[in-house]
Amino acid sequence: MRLQHCHNFHDFRELARRRLPGPIFDYIDGAADDEVTYRRNTASFERCDLVPNVLRGVETVDLSVTVMGQKLALPFYCSPTALQRLFHHQGERAVAAAASQYGTMFGVSSLGTVSMEELRQTYATPQMYQFYFHKDRGLNRAMIQRAKEAGVEVMALTVDSITGGNRERDLRTGFTIPFRLTLAGMLQFAIKPMWALNYLTHEGFKLPQLDEHVDMGGRTVSIERYFTEMLDPSMTWDNVAELVRDWNGQFCLKGLMSVADARRAIEIGCTGIILSNHGGRQLDGSRAPFDQLAEIVDAVGDRIDVMMDGGIQRGTHVLKALSVGAKAVGVGRYYLFPLAAAGQRGVERALGQMRAEIERGMKLMGCTSITQLARDNLRYR
Ligand SMILES: Cc1cc2nc3c(=O)[nH]c(=O)nc-3n(C[C@H](O)[C@H](O)[C@H](O)COP(=O)(O)O)c2cc1C
């Protein structure tokens, strides 16, 4: 199977599965507990039908949106994800380059493997920087300051990871950073020599967002310990209000699901919320963001930018979320599998396919701009 044979999410996933050592594929593909929420995230779109209008003159279609103060050429962005250079040696650089080419926003994780400064300087499209709340308040302030100096446009505090999710595939393979693989996990690396060669012949693995604070190279702090020892489970709304004030710009909470929390987010001055369950990787059994979207949009959609991510694999999924009232949507595995499959070329192909699917879907729905997408054109089973 080759890149030119990849026409959708499932093809890219399969190519990534063939190219990656098993433990890394399972880290991307896996989710928490029984992975019920992971499956539901996509299934929820299938309970909603599109009802098109026809004969409306759709020769040109405008896919642009403005979200979190950023004008994007596309209504979807690349959600922040960890460890990208482990999936392909180009890592975040490939994703940022592809996002720039398509005029959309890319996320950078605090567990990212290329620095936010380098990405900000090299690629001219908006950057969302994702961070967690640390026990060390100095570190939180330093991170905000650093993002400000780098020129990051949008801050995203992830609030669904107050403790680590139970990812049983990773327990089975021994996937952790630094690696502490089980014997079976090690064998999986041995049978993927191309991946190993690329990994070993490119710049060493590091986490530049955290390197002053967490010594991964010296193997003193694993990601597991980062979550359990350095992040602060006592975080409250008051703490976040302080961060929002410190940042004094576009600030969203990622991983929020309830109406009550959405209202609190407005009260403390957030400009956006991202409905998300971390791609099913945290609380299994939690509701699919698409199922929860209408309730949130109805409650707060006129006062804060509502976004969502989780389970998006098709242009029509994006159209459904926008029709309910999301300002934009994030994709995760949708670009991670193409990254693993073929680096920048893979991500470009996937973003291009998503753009084409949205454009085709809009024409078939009788819409020429995103604002024309409305709930009138949806019916639920
Ligand atoms: C491999 C992987 C790593 C991720 N790393 C992060 C992260 O570091 N920070 C974060 O806020 N979300 C992270 N996420 C969650 C994504 O930002 C996003 O919420 C999720 O992938 C959306 O679901 P989808 O993969 O079904 O599109 C990660 C997701 C995956 C699959």
Side-chain angles (χ1 to χ4, degrees), residues 285-325:
S286 66
R287 201 163 193 220
F290 180 65
D291 286 336
Q292 186 67 353
L293 184 60
E295 202 175 317
I296 299 278
V297 169
D298 289 344
V300 299
D302 54 344
R303 284 176 290 157
I304 194 165
D305 280 357
V306 178
M307 296 158 274
M308 65 145 280
D309 69 43
I312 291 171
Q313 299 176 357
R314 284 287 184 191
T316 51
H317 298 164
V318 178
L319 293 184
K320 288 175 185 178
L322 298 171
S323 301
V324 173

Side-chain angles (χ1 to χ4, degrees), residues 28 37 57 72 106 114 143 179 196-197 208 217 221 225 293 327 358:
I28 301 174
T37 290
L72 308 180
F106 63 95
V114 177
M143 215 164 235
F179 290 126
L197 190 68
V221 177
R225 282 184 57 204
L293 184 60
K327 287 269 161 37
I358 296 173

Side-chain angles (χ1 to χ4, degrees), residues 109-336:
S109 166
S110 47
L111 297 172
T113 51
V114 177
S115 79
M116 61 172 126
E117 288 86 357
E118 180 196 317
L119 294 165
R120 182 56 296 140
Q121 280 157 26
T122 316
Y123 306 98
T125 201
Q127 178 181 142
M128 170 188 280
Y129 177 61
Q130 174 275 322
F131 70 116
Y132 294 105
F133 189 75
H134 303 89
K135 286 180 187 155
D136 176 352
R137 302 295 194 262
L139 173 50
N140 294 328
R141 274 191 298 274
M143 215 164 235
I144 294 227
Q145 190 54 31
R146 196 175 150 186
K148 247 185 218 164
E149 280 163 19
V152 163
E153 285 82 358
V154 176
M155 285 300 262
L157 178 71
T158 297
V159 289
D160 59 17
S161 303
I162 203 82
T163 186
N166 176 41
R167 308 197 189 147
E168 292 178 2
R169 294 203 222 180
D170 295 346
L171 295 178
R172 243 169 255 130
T173 62
F175 180 91
T176 179
I177 300 290
F179 290 126
R180 269 197 313 270
L181 294 169
T182 58
L183 187 61
M186 272 187 253
L187 282 173
Q188 286 291 316
F189 275 78
I191 59 174
K192 294 289 155 75
M194 272 314 287
W195 179 92
L197 190 68
N198 270 322
Y199 181 70
L200 294 171
T201 54
H202 288 88
E203 104 199 55
F205 182 83
K206 49 186 187 335
L207 298 175
Q209 274 48 271
L210 296 174
D211 57 4
E212 284 168 28
H213 313 284
V214 181
D215 183 10
M216 294 287 172
R219 310 209 156 220
T220 49
V221 177
S222 67
I223 286 192
E224 218 176 306
R225 282 184 57 204
Y226 171 71
F227 273 92
T228 53
E229 290 172 24
M230 295 187 65
L231 300 187
D232 190 349
S234 73
M235 166 170 73
T236 64
W237 287 97
D238 290 340
N239 301 129
V240 182
E242 209 176 304
L243 296 178
V244 174
R245 274 196 301 276
D246 277 359
W247 176 250
N248 193 24
Q250 294 291 339
F251 193 111
C252 62
L253 298 181
K254 175 174 181 291
L256 177 157
M257 288 293 283
S258 77
V259 169
D261 284 352
R263 294 209 168 103
R264 290 294 287 273
I266 297 174
E267 277 163 30
I268 63 163
C270 291
T271 52
I273 49 175
I274 306 176
L275 305 198
S276 173
N277 51 39
H278 219 104
R281 298 161 76 80
Q282 288 295 108
L283 178 65
D284 197 32
S286 66
R287 201 163 193 220
F290 180 65
D291 286 336
Q292 186 67 353
L293 184 60
E295 202 175 317
I296 299 278
V297 169
D298 289 344
V300 299
D302 54 344
R303 284 176 290 157
I304 194 165
D305 280 357
V306 178
M307 296 158 274
M308 65 145 280
D309 69 43
I312 291 171
Q313 299 176 357
R314 284 287 184 191
T316 51
H317 298 164
V318 178
L319 293 184
K320 288 175 185 178
L322 298 171
S323 301
V324 173
K327 287 269 161 37
V329 302
V331 292
R333 296 177 186 88
Y334 180 83
Y335 75 84
L336 285 178

